[in-house]
Amino acid sequence: MSNATMNRRNFLKIGATAGGGLLIGMEWLAACHPGASGPATMQTLNAFIRIGTDGLITIMAPNPEIGQGVKTALPMIVAEELDVDWKKVIIEQAALDTDKYTRQVAGGSGSVKSSWAPFRQAGATGRQLLVNAAADKWKVDPAACTTEEGVVYHKASGKKATYGELAEKAATMPVPKDVKLKDPKSFKIVGTSKTNYDLKDIVTGKQKYGIDTKREGMLYATIVRPPAFGQTLVSFDDSAARKMNGVSNVVRFDNKIAVLGRSTWEVMQAAKAIKAEWKDDGTLESTDDYKKNFEKTLAKLPDEPKRKDGNIKKGFAGAAKIVEAAYECPFIPHNTMEPMNFFAHVKDGGVELHGPIQLPEKARNTIADKFKFPKEKITVMTTRMGGGFGRRLMTDFIEEAVAVSQLAKAPVNVIWKREDDMSGGFYRPMALYKYKAAVDANNKLIAWHHHSVGVTGNTARENNFPAGAVANLQVDTHEYKSPVTTGPWRAPIHNYIAYSEESFLDEIAHSTGKDPVQLRLELLAQAKANPVGKVDYDADRYAAVIKKAAEMAGWGTNKPGVYLGFGSHFSFSSYAAQVVELANVNGQLKINKIYCAIDCGIVVNKTGAMNQAEGAMIDGLGHAMYGELTLTKGKPDQHNYDTYRLIRMREAPPVEIHFMENTIDPTGLGEPALPPVAAALSNAIFAATGQRLRSQPFIKHEEVFSMQKKTEV
């Protein structure tokens, strides 16, 4: 059992809600500001649980919902400790309020992780408050009372009362100073499967997204942008566009042109009629240029390594064998189902913002700085998002909406076309990774050198395994300056570096005659027994998921015509290990199944967790097989799904997932299952064909697939 101490300063409650009942606000609730103060009113509470006289419980959801399921999972945590009937829980989305909240973020797989302890405390304190109200009413010891599904019982006397019946009395009671949290073994809601809270509205079309935002007098807007990265607008002729039906205005801003009108179709058609002249400085690069320049950049080491353990020169000098390989990482767009969009209304010296954004506070601060609005005059309401994957961490589309609204002197909803969304950045960075490893006469890994370059600040994750397990290890990385805009893409950097690192580990294993799984376990044992430098991961938990995934797939057993590939990774404080099983079916390679073991601590919503893990693996698999955006003189070659290949439903293989059972507080889950799958597939392909795939997308490797043109993956 755990204890949580509360006091009047950080636990506010009122009884006079609009419909009666108890309103509980917690300044210490996850994402809530600890120092806020003020009268305990409906408008000024930092976050709240509202218990009505009808027994319905309303919980605010401060974090943006991007499909990761936090609008369902976080209230499950409160409901568990509050001990209520889940069917009586109502959830409301909170607007941005930095006076009340501090972590209104959808990113980094951190929502449940950061909210776990305070949301439990919120529910447990509310439960104890209601128990105390019942005990006071019945003149009994609170310790003699129990709760179950929103009812307080005193078994000795046979008395019982619903939370709704006790709500108003509870509002008059002193706040409990010490509350007990449940033993995880007694959980009834956490760890079960609950339907996504918004699911019915989503499947019936009632769910509103940012793209659905409408206001009186609102105009739709689409933006004409430079066709190539690095170009600037010289002039444009909008005469034809202005004559088209539904067009109300055309404005220029920030090297772009906005077309405004009464419908998306009309403004998008008018945008095609604009004749724009663009110029560049003659240095726009194509994909092949990046590859050549990356090689030149890697010709010398940077001034300071990202990590340096031991001495790699000494390690390589004493090597019995040296293994080297290079891996290429292409640009990839985010391809959210809902394209970028945002509503803005500049008025009264401020702006109303409404739409899909993963970082609402960043959006507000960016708009305040760029347009010189006082922060208190900017309101931001987040909508449920039709995908994000890191793209909606950016604010470019919000800045567009504000600029256009300001120029047009009207509320606007800027909506991107699919072509804009795919070719307008921000992409997963293109990068080149080179690895060099040394093993001694006993086939022990004694040196590891990672050297990379990419269109981003740091292409490495310098503390990744096998860091901590190798005596001589160095990580070097360079940033390559480019006008191409890049940004976080689901499991930033991990999404590709897990493929390169885990594939290279496989190469080391095969070159030394070791089993790939056994090599990883040996390195983890070394990191535990004789750690070198900083070790970010728990070697035992890491080893456990590796063993479990191998066991699930029957690793080490010989099955005719079946080939296995292994991959594992630690990211966002969670561990994932996967095995891809390939089969030779009539001369064609086909994925039979993907096996996955994950340790993310306590799983809050089992259904949501399974969906996240399955989706992450299919996403990673599809982009490894098909995902690539190329450039010709700075201009993207792929603009829509006729030229950019995504994995298809018939190509999604069966997936078997095992969540390691423990009582460790939850860690990240939205992203950790994606990184290892590309390595597992690549290593399985090597097992089947004897050929290494060191660049993505895999479908380009004709030497592997030319004889299997109908291969399904």
Side-chain angles (χ1 to χ4, degrees):
M1 306 293 283
S2 302
N3 293 321
T5 302
M6 300 295 110
N7 56 46
R8 184 70 185 182
R9 175 185 172 91
N10 58 22
F11 193 100
L12 307 175
K13 59 181 174 32
I14 61 173
T17 64
L22 173 66
L23 184 67
I24 307 171
M26 294 70 62
E27 293 183 355
W28 41 266
L29 188 63
C32 294
H33 196 286
S37 60
T41 67
M42 188 70 137
Q43 290 73 34
T44 60
L45 283 173
N46 296 328
F48 62 80
I49 302 171
R50 183 170 64 244
I51 301 175
T53 55
D54 57 1
L56 293 178
I57 293 90
T58 302
I59 303 171
M60 292 303 293
N63 290 40
E65 173 58 62
I66 197 172
Q68 79 280 47
V70 295
K71 194 174 180 181
T72 305
L74 296 184
M76 287 177 67
I77 300 170
V78 177
E80 178 66 70
E81 291 290 350
L82 192 58
D83 205 357
V84 297
D85 182 351
W86 177 249
K87 298 185 183 70
K88 294 185 177 181
V89 173
I90 298 170
I91 306 162
E92 295 181 3
Q93 183 68 49
L96 174 68
D97 193 328
T98 52
D99 289 334
K100 299 175 183 178
Y101 311 114
T102 59
R103 196 189 184 279
Q104 290 183 272
V105 173
S109 297
S111 294
V112 172
K113 177 183 176 181
S114 64
S115 303
W116 173 251
F119 266 73
R120 290 187 70 193
Q121 293 169 354
T125 304
R127 169 169 45 87
Q128 188 61 52
L129 188 63
L130 291 156
V131 166
N132 292 350
D136 184 71
K137 178 180 178 180
W138 299 330
K139 306 304 178 186
V140 299
D141 184 355
C145 298
T146 59
T147 62
E148 186 174 356
E149 291 194 338
V151 180
V152 180
Y153 296 91
H154 184 249
K155 294 183 179 179
S157 64
K159 294 180 179 179
K160 65 178 182 179
T162 66
Y163 285 2
E165 293 169 338
L166 296 167
E168 289 186 341
K169 180 173 180 58
T172 69
M173 299 291 294
V175 177
K177 292 184 178 180
D178 296 287
V179 296
K180 289 185 177 180
L181 303 180
K182 286 185 176 182
D183 185 329
K185 294 179 182 178
S186 69
F187 285 166
K188 298 177 182 178
I189 296 176
V190 169
T192 64
S193 293
K194 299 299 180 187
T195 302
N196 186 307
Y197 184 77
D198 292 331
L199 182 60
K200 184 176 180 180
D201 284 348
I202 291 171
V203 299
T204 58
K206 294 179 180 178
Q207 182 66 48
K208 299 298 182 184
Y209 296 85
I211 205 168
D212 300 313
T213 304
K214 295 180 181 180
R215 295 284 192 279
E216 185 70 27
M218 186 190 84
L219 298 173
Y220 287 98
T222 193
I223 312 298
V224 178
R225 301 175 181 82
F229 290 98
Q231 289 184 325
T232 55
L233 180 61
V234 177
S235 63
F236 66 96
D237 180 357
D238 61 1
S239 57
R242 287 182 178 274
K243 296 176 183 178
M244 296 177 71
N245 290 336
V247 175
S248 61
N249 202 357
V250 178
V251 297
R252 176 177 178 169
F253 72 102
D254 293 346
N255 199 41
K256 304 172 187 177
I257 308 162
V259 182
L260 297 100
R262 65 187 177 188
S263 73
T264 55
W265 173 257
E266 288 169 320
V267 298
M268 288 178 182
Q269 293 307 303
K272 296 177 183 178
I274 290 179
K275 298 177 181 178
E277 180 184 355
W278 308 89
K279 71 173 183 178
D280 59 68
D281 59 6
T283 61
L284 301 184
E285 294 175 306
S286 301
T287 296
D288 287 343
D289 296 324
Y290 281 98
K291 293 179 180 180
K292 293 175 183 176
N293 290 328
F294 282 178
E295 289 283 0
K296 293 177 182 177
T297 303
L298 288 178
K300 64 176 184 177
L301 296 178
D303 294 333
E304 291 291 336
K306 288 291 181 180
R307 175 164 178 155
K308 186 175 183 179
D309 298 331
N311 187 319
I312 59 169
K313 290 184 178 180
K314 181 178 179 181
F316 286 118
K321 179 181 290 187
I322 291 177
V323 183
E324 297 183 78
Y327 292 82
E328 297 177 3
C329 170
F331 288 119
I332 285 181
H334 292 80
N335 288 315
T336 61
M337 182 174 291
E338 177 192 21
M340 298 305 107
N341 66 90
F342 224 82
F343 169 86
H345 189 187
V346 176
K347 58 180 179 178
D348 303 326
V351 58
E352 175 195 358
L353 298 173
H354 191 95
I357 182 66
Q358 293 179 244
L359 293 175
E361 183 179 0
K362 176 186 177 184
R364 186 198 64 179
N365 294 345
T366 299
I367 297 305
D369 291 342
K370 181 172 181 176
F371 295 92
K372 309 306 177 187
F373 292 129
K375 290 182 182 179
E376 62 273 14
K377 296 284 285 184
I378 302 173
T379 62
V380 184
M381 182 64 200
T382 60
T383 57
R384 187 182 182 98
M385 290 168 253
F389 315 114
R391 178 62 180 91
R392 288 186 160 102
L393 294 170
M394 305 299 115
T395 62
D396 55 312
F397 50 98
I398 305 175
E399 295 169 50
E400 290 179 346
V402 175
V404 175
S405 175
Q406 191 174 49
L407 290 169
K409 295 180 172 55
V412 301
N413 193 353
V414 170
I415 298 178
W416 291 32
K417 302 187 300 294
R418 174 58 59 195
E419 290 82 359
D420 296 332
D421 204 56
M422 188 175 294
S423 60
F426 291 65
Y427 303 132
R428 182 185 76 174
M430 184 177 179
L432 174 63
Y433 294 85
K434 286 195 172 183
Y435 295 94
K436 184 177 180 180
V439 295
D440 64 14
N442 297 316
N443 284 330
K444 180 180 179 180
L445 181 60
I446 58 172
W448 173 284
H449 186 203
H450 163 115
H451 194 194
S452 60
V453 58
V455 186
T456 186
N458 181 10
T459 56
R461 287 295 178 262
E462 56 270 17
N463 297 322
N464 274 8
F465 175 77
V470 184
N472 305 291
L473 179 143
Q474 187 165 315
V475 177
D476 295 298
T477 184
H478 308 259
E479 178 180 8
Y480 184 82
K481 298 294 184 180
S482 165
V484 176
T485 50
T486 63
W489 191 93
R490 193 174 188 178
I493 306 301
H494 291 284
N495 60 62
Y496 193 86
I497 202 171
Y499 158 65
S500 61
E501 289 174 344
E502 287 290 301
S503 296
F504 188 57
L505 277 172
D506 206 71
E507 294 200 46
I508 295 171
H510 284 283
S511 69
T512 57
K514 288 191 175 183
D515 177 82
V517 169
Q518 190 57 39
L519 171 62
R520 289 167 174 81
L521 294 176
E522 288 177 5
L523 289 169
L524 286 167
Q526 186 168 320
K528 180 181 179 181
N530 299 294
V532 181
K534 182 180 181 181
V535 179
D536 277 354
Y537 49 86
D538 183 312
D540 289 333
R541 295 177 68 188
Y542 210 147
V545 295
I546 289 174
K547 292 175 182 177
K548 184 61 182 180
E551 174 193 327
M552 292 166 66
W555 187 272
T557 60
N558 292 320
K559 299 178 183 179
V562 174
Y563 309 94
L564 303 181
F566 192 87
S568 61
H569 197 63
F570 170 67
S571 62
F572 304 97
S573 304
S574 295
Y575 305 81
Q578 295 162 4
V579 177
V580 167
E581 179 182 293
L582 289 178
N584 186 334
V585 180
N586 298 323
Q588 299 175 11
L589 286 180
K590 181 178 180 179
I591 295 182
N592 279 346
K593 202 171 189 178
I594 302 177
Y595 301 89
C596 178
I598 302 174
D599 184 347
C600 59
I602 294 172
V603 173
V604 175
N605 185 359
K606 191 173 182 180
T607 295
M610 295 291 283
N611 290 341
Q612 284 290 288
E614 288 178 3
M617 282 186 277
I618 300 304
D619 193 12
L621 177 68
H623 280 88
M625 274 301 305
Y626 307 113
E628 180 182 38
L629 187 136
T630 59
L631 300 168
T632 300
K633 294 299 180 182
K635 184 177 181 179
D637 298 317
Q638 296 78 28
H639 301 278
N640 210 320
Y641 297 130
D642 58 338
T643 53
Y644 187 89
R645 176 82 151 84
L646 290 174
I647 191 169
R648 300 183 175 112
M649 291 182 69
R650 65 178 175 81
E651 295 168 333
V655 173
E656 182 179 333
I657 300 171
H658 176 85
F659 289 100
M660 308 297 285
E661 294 185 7
N662 54 50
T663 57
I664 298 170
D665 288 356
T667 50
L669 183 57
E671 295 164 287
L674 184 148
V677 70
L681 174 58
S682 170
N683 293 334
I685 290 172
F686 173 78
T689 68
Q691 297 189 63
R692 290 284 176 193
L693 305 186
R694 298 192 180 99
S695 66
Q696 296 178 7
F698 294 159
I699 199 66
K700 291 202 315 182
H701 293 269
E702 294 184 4
E703 70 275 16
V704 175
F705 293 101
S706 60
M707 292 185 295
Q708 298 139 190
K709 294 184 182 297
K710 296 182 180 180
T711 296
E712 293 186 28
V713 296

